[in-house]
Amino acid sequence: MEENISKIKEEALNEIKNSEDAKKLNDVRVKYLGKKGELTSILRGMGSLSPEERPIIGSKVNEVRDELEGLIKQREEEFSKLELEKKLKEEKIDITLPSKKVKRGSKHPLNRIIEEVEDLFVSMGYDVVTGPELETDEYCFERLNLPKGHPARDMQDSFYITEEYLLRTQTSAVQARTMMANEEKTPIRVICPGKTYRRDDDATHSHQFSQVEGLVVDKNISLADLKGTLEVFVRKLLGENLELRFRPSYFPFTEPSYEVDVSCFKCGGKGCNLCKQTGWIEVLGSGIVHPNVLKMGGYDPEKYSGFAFGTGLDRLAMFKYGITDIRLLYQNDVRFLNQFDRLDR
Ligand code: DAH
C-alpha cells in the first residue's frame, strides 16, 4: 500500500511539473485530490485496512496530499504571474505615438472683432448695451432727428414690417433707447454692437450686417474727446501706426458730423486696389450729438453735450482679415471659417 502511495506521489509530482497551463494543472488536481481522485479513494478505502495499518497509511496519505496541494498552489501562482506578464506585454501602450488630432471649432471673425471692440471700450469705462433688432420707426429714425418725410431717410433702404415697425437699419436706434432708459439723466458712456438690416446685396453689402454704435453724453464733451477716442479705437483694432482723417459729412443725428478715414493699411497711403488709389479708407461715421437728439432723449442741451460714432463691423473684419466678399461672413462655410483656427493657437 505504501508503495502504491509513493507511486501515486511520483506520478502526481511529474504531472504537476509537466502541466503547461492552469487548466491542465486543475485536471491533475481533480485526478489525484478530487472527490474521486486516486488519493481520496485510498482514504475512502481505509475501512478495509487492519487497525495497525490505518494510522500509518492515513498519515502518509495526508502528508502526500498536503505536499501535492502545496505544489499545485505554487504552480498556480506561477501560472497567474505568467498570465499577468503576458497581458501586460500585449496591452502595452506606446505613449510616444503621436495622438489623433482633436477637431475643434474656431471663433467666427465677426465675433472676434466684437469681443475685441468690447474689451477695448470696457477697459475705457464703457458699458455694453443692446437693443431690439425689430425696431420702431420712432427709435430708428424720429428720435434721431429724422422725422417722417425727411430726405435723409432715403440714405437707408429699410425693411418695413408694418408702418411703424422695421428691422433696424442702424444701431443708432440704441442711442435714443439708452437716453430714454436713463431716468436719472446721468452721464452715458456705452457701446452697442449688433445686427442691422438694409435692402442691399452685393460683394460689399449684405442685407444683414453688423454695426457697433458708441455714445457718450456728459458735461463739456467736445470734438477733442471724440477724436481721441476714435484714434485709440482705430489704432488698437487695426494698427498702431495708422493716421486718421476727419472729413466733414452729414448725419441727421450729429452736428457737426464727420466721416473718419484711416490711412490704407495695405499700402500705407501710397495708393492700391484696396483704397482705390486714394491712400485712405473710410471706416466710421461720427459727430457731436445733435441738440434735438439730446432734447428728445430728455437731456438739456444747454447743460449736456455728447459724441456718437458708428461703424460697420463687417467692414472692419474684412479689412483686418483680408476678406473680399462680405457674404462669406454670413454663409458659415467651414472651408472659410477653418482658416481662422490658426488665430487661436
Ligand atoms: N448710423 C450711421 C450709419 O449707419 C453711422 C453713424 C454716423 C453713427 C454718425 C453715428 C454717428 O453714431 O454719429 O450709416
Side-chain angles (χ1 to χ4, degrees), residues 110-132 168 170-179 187-196 210-217 225-226 229-230 232-234 237 284-285 307-311 313 316:
L110 265 182
N111 289 334
R112 279 174 196 284
I113 291 278
I114 292 175
E115 281 179 19
E116 252 185 82
V117 174
E118 286 181 353
D119 283 352
L120 174 62
F121 279 98
V122 166
S123 79
M124 296 197 287
Y126 285 60
D127 288 328
V128 178
V129 294
T130 55
R168 68 177 177 200
Q170 51 187 0
T171 44
S172 305
V174 187
Q175 285 190 31
R177 285 196 172 271
T178 309
M179 284 190 256
I188 290 173
R189 211 181 293 153
V190 293
I191 58 158
C192 167
K195 296 193 185 85
T196 43
S210 304
Q211 286 190 333
V212 62
E213 193 78 15
L215 174 69
V216 170
V217 178
D225 299 308
L226 172 65
T229 305
L230 294 185
V232 172
F233 175 26
V234 170
L237 200 77
L284 281 147
F307 67 75
F309 60 89
T311 182
L313 291 165
L316 293 184

Side-chain angles (χ1 to χ4, degrees), residues 36-292:
K36 290 178 187 159
E38 293 187 21
L39 275 184
T40 323
S41 309
I42 295 179
L43 284 177
R44 288 231 173 98
M46 295 275 276
S48 59
L49 297 178
S50 67
E52 299 82 46
E53 267 182 320
R54 261 182 229 159
I56 301 165
I57 297 299
S59 74
K60 181 85 184 160
V61 171
N62 280 336
E63 192 185 297
V64 172
R65 192 181 58 189
D66 288 350
E67 193 179 341
L68 293 184
E69 268 174 359
L71 278 173
I72 287 174
K73 197 158 171 242
Q74 199 183 330
R75 231 17 210 140
E76 263 175 357
E77 277 163 11
E78 277 169 28
F79 280 134
S80 68
K81 213 169 133 197
L82 280 176
E83 182 75 9
L84 182 68
E85 273 168 19
K86 197 171 141 224
K87 231 176 160 176
L88 285 175
K89 218 181 224 166
E90 278 171 2
E91 294 175 10
K92 194 173 163 198
I93 296 167
D94 182 354
I95 54 165
T96 64
L97 276 180
S99 62
K100 278 190 195 153
K101 193 167 177 261
V102 180
K103 279 199 173 178
R104 55 170 199 183
S106 59
K107 270 187 208 156
H108 191 282
L110 265 182
N111 289 334
R112 279 174 196 284
I113 291 278
I114 292 175
E115 281 179 19
E116 252 185 82
V117 174
E118 286 181 353
D119 283 352
L120 174 62
F121 279 98
V122 166
S123 79
M124 296 197 287
Y126 285 60
D127 288 328
V128 178
V129 294
T130 55
E133 288 171 35
L134 184 61
E135 188 49 283
T136 59
D137 185 277
E138 179 190 348
Y139 279 100
C140 200
F141 295 127
E142 286 186 43
R143 285 184 174 278
L144 293 172
N145 204 26
L146 267 146
K148 288 203 169 75
H150 193 292
R153 284 192 180 212
D154 295 345
M155 285 161 73
Q156 303 178 356
D157 280 325
S158 321
F159 283 116
Y160 272 92
I161 308 296
T162 64
E163 284 234 327
E164 190 48 33
Y165 282 93
L166 72 157
L167 293 175
R168 68 177 177 200
T169 55
Q170 51 187 0
T171 44
S172 305
V174 187
Q175 285 190 31
R177 285 196 172 271
T178 309
M179 284 190 256
M180 293 302 285
N182 186 346
E183 284 171 16
E184 293 87 31
K185 304 301 168 198
T186 48
I188 290 173
R189 211 181 293 153
V190 293
I191 58 158
C192 167
K195 296 193 185 85
T196 43
Y197 303 83
R198 285 184 207 176
R199 286 193 282 128
D200 284 326
D201 194 12
D202 60 43
T204 52
H205 295 93
S206 152
H207 61 275
Q208 184 213 298
F209 54 106
S210 304
Q211 286 190 333
V212 62
E213 193 78 15
L215 174 69
V216 170
V217 178
D218 206 338
K219 290 181 178 141
N220 300 319
I221 295 293
S222 74
L223 201 53
D225 299 308
L226 172 65
K227 286 180 102 171
T229 305
L230 294 185
E231 251 171 38
V232 172
F233 175 26
V234 170
R235 289 190 178 146
K236 280 266 180 292
L237 200 77
L238 297 177
E240 288 293 346
N241 299 321
L242 295 175
E243 287 303 321
L244 269 69
R245 178 172 82 170
F246 285 72
R247 223 170 354 95
S249 183
Y250 171 76
F251 296 104
F253 29 89
T254 42
E255 180 57 37
S257 301
Y258 300 92
E259 263 164 342
V260 182
D261 300 338
V262 291
S263 50
C264 179
F265 23 82
K266 194 171 168 197
C267 65
K270 286 192 213 89
C272 68
N273 59 343
L274 184 67
C275 60
K276 299 196 184 92
Q277 311 304 330
T278 63
W280 294 96
I281 294 176
E282 184 204 321
V283 288
L284 281 147
S286 66
I288 295 296
V289 181
H290 197 290
N292 287 350

